[in-house]
Amino acid sequence: MTATTVLFVCIHNAGRSQMAAGFLRELAPDIRVLSAGSIPADQINPTAVEAMAEVGIDIAGQQPKLLSTEAVKESDVVITMGCGDACPFFPGKRYEDWKLDDPAGQGIEPVRVIRDEIRGRIEGLIASLHPRS
């Protein structure tokens, strides 16, 4: 049996999608995690890196990646965060769109709020992928 693959997509792949990927990797190591952006930034948002480090998750080594059709095809679950029509759609995939504020240009306090909201959504996602018997 192959592992479930989850793809997180946002515009720049520098904040929201990277924080979500970091939480899912940490909280559910049996799930394969991908993240990408429709217009990737040059680097991860340093405030997102700082906010995640505060909860013991290091995303500093991640690099924004360009969203590819292949990444969507190989994913079971695709979670978008504001990328709109740039996200390819394939039948048979589970799609969710998480409405989250963009941490770009924000200070640490609002990014902590976004981080904590993402963590709650990740916990819900894990529960839906690992239903209790």
Side-chain angles (χ1 to χ4, degrees):
M1 182 173 167
T2 59
T4 298
T5 300
V6 176
L7 169 64
F8 295 102
V9 182
C10 66
I11 296 169
H12 301 298
N13 190 221
R16 295 167 289 190
S17 56
Q18 292 287 352
M19 289 191 286
F23 274 125
L24 190 55
R25 281 186 194 103
E26 181 75 18
L27 300 174
D30 60 315
I31 295 175
R32 184 168 173 246
V33 181
L34 304 172
S35 70
S38 52
I39 308 170
D42 294 332
Q43 65 179 21
I44 301 292
N45 179 330
T47 311
V49 171
E50 179 185 351
M52 292 299 286
E54 290 177 351
V55 295
I57 299 174
D58 181 8
I59 62 169
Q62 298 298 319
Q63 187 64 34
K65 294 169 232 34
L66 180 63
L67 176 63
S68 68
T69 300
E70 291 75 29
V72 178
K73 281 183 179 177
E74 65 186 75
S75 298
D76 302 294
V77 181
V78 179
I79 298 175
T80 58
M81 303 175 184
C83 73
D85 295 337
C87 297
F89 181 86
F90 293 96
K93 309 275 179 205
R94 173 177 161 187
Y95 286 88
E96 292 184 22
D97 185 36
W98 292 358
K99 305 279 190 231
L100 296 161
D101 289 337
D102 189 345
Q106 298 201 47
I108 190 66
E109 288 298 330
V111 174
R112 285 178 181 137
V113 172
I114 297 165
R115 174 201 66 203
D116 294 346
E117 183 175 350
I118 289 170
R119 182 181 187 121
R121 289 177 185 242
I122 291 296
E123 289 168 349
L125 175 67
I126 293 167
S128 75
L129 294 173
H130 295 130
R132 300 205 186 276
S133 31

